[in-house]
């Protein structure tokens, strides 16, 4: 889902870390080596914990919830701690839903338009989408645990995001860290991911 962590990240909230020196774009063999470690998936449901770091706060904010991804719909982050709310990212919109079920779609503006491309591309784990949207700055594989550092290209959140670090296994991503301009950092740790599930209609209505 090519076009499907500012508001997500602006809402979610990546220390000013020096960028890895950018070399020539990795060849197909390097990308393919990464994607052999990350099977493509149609849908995912997983519990997650999230920490939002800011230079303005001594301690990070802590949140938890359930992540849902459906390649035909988008990404849903349902927070239930400290307060219930849901962030819904579809192919071209970002919406916020409160615990009463009231939904507000964020304005169509440059401030938010990059979110669907960035988030959707990351969670799709589609090789061609990643190659067209990101530079692969680093990749390592230790047994079945892989680590990748990607940098957005123009038009995929480059004005907001410095780089994204991902850690995972043969099932899915287990940790995602977004390093943003302005000294913000968002870390998400994923647990108990269940892949390729069919969401019931009532689940789609509630969370997408």
């Amino acid at each position: 889902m090519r076009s499907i962590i500012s508001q997500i990240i602006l809402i979610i909230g990546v220390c000013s870390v020096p960028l890895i020196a950018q070399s020539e774009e990795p060849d197909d063999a390097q990308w393919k080596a990464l994607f052999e470690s990350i099977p493509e998936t149609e849908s995912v449901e997983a519990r997650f914990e999230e920490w939002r770091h800011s230079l303005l706060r001594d301690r990070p904010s802590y949140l938890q919830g359930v992540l849902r991804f459906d390649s035909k719909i988008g990404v849903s982050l349902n927070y239930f701690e400290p307060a219930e709310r849901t962030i819904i990212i579809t192919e071209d919109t970002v919406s916020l839903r409160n615990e009463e079920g009231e939904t507000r779609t964020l304005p169509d503006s440059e401030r938010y338009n990059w979110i669907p491309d960035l988030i959707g591309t990351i969670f799709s784990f589609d090789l061609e989408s990643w190659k067209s949207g990101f530079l692969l700055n680093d990749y390592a594989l230790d047994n079945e645990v892989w680590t990748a550092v990607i940098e957005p290209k123009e038009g995929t959140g480059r004005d907001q995001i410095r780089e994204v670090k991902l850690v995972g296994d043969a099932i899915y991503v287990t940790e995602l860290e977004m390093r943003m301009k302005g000294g913000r950092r968002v870390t998400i740790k994923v647990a108990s991911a269940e892949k390729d599930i069919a969401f019931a209609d009532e689940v789609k209505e509630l969370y997408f």
Side-chain angles (χ1 to χ4, degrees), residues 29-39 136 138-149 165-172 174:
Q30 291 175 289
W31 278 112
K32 288 178 180 177
L34 169 61
F35 272 79
E36 286 175 355
S37 307
I38 320 172
L136 178 59
D138 194 16
Y139 166 67
L141 179 64
D142 183 6
N143 294 320
E144 291 190 348
V145 177
W146 55 267
T147 303
V149 178
K165 178 181 178 181
L166 299 134
V167 181
D169 53 27
I171 303 299
Y172 200 56
T174 57

Side-chain angles (χ1 to χ4, degrees), residues 78-127:
N78 173 226
Y79 294 91
F80 48 77
E81 181 67 35
E84 183 169 358
R85 65 189 184 281
T86 303
I87 301 173
I88 303 162
I89 305 162
T90 61
E91 185 173 353
D92 52 12
T93 63
V94 180
S95 300
L96 311 179
R97 182 173 296 158
N98 62 24
E99 59 184 338
E100 285 78 32
E102 300 169 334
T103 302
R104 176 172 64 92
T105 299
L106 297 181
D108 182 11
S109 69
E110 292 183 0
R111 185 179 184 187
Y112 305 117
N113 286 349
W114 60 271
I115 300 174
D117 277 342
L118 178 75
I119 303 302
T121 300
I122 288 176
F123 283 104
S124 70
F125 291 100
D126 175 74
L127 175 57

Side-chain angles (χ1 to χ4, degrees), residues 26-94:
D27 59 26
D28 284 348
Q30 291 175 289
W31 278 112
K32 288 178 180 177
L34 169 61
F35 272 79
E36 286 175 355
S37 307
I38 320 172
E40 193 172 346
T41 184
E42 290 297 315
S43 59
V44 170
E45 183 174 87
R47 293 283 299 267
F48 72 89
E49 296 178 286
E50 180 182 313
W51 292 264
R52 303 176 185 176
H53 304 260
S54 169
L55 296 178
L56 301 177
R57 294 193 297 263
D58 293 334
R59 297 181 180 178
S61 300
Y62 173 76
L63 306 92
Q64 57 179 306
V66 175
L67 177 153
R68 295 175 178 86
F69 166 76
D70 187 305
S71 63
K72 296 180 177 63
I73 306 174
V75 181
S76 168
L77 296 173
N78 173 226
Y79 294 91
F80 48 77
E81 181 67 35
E84 183 169 358
R85 65 189 184 281
T86 303
I87 301 173
I88 303 162
I89 305 162
T90 61
E91 185 173 353
D92 52 12
T93 63
V94 180

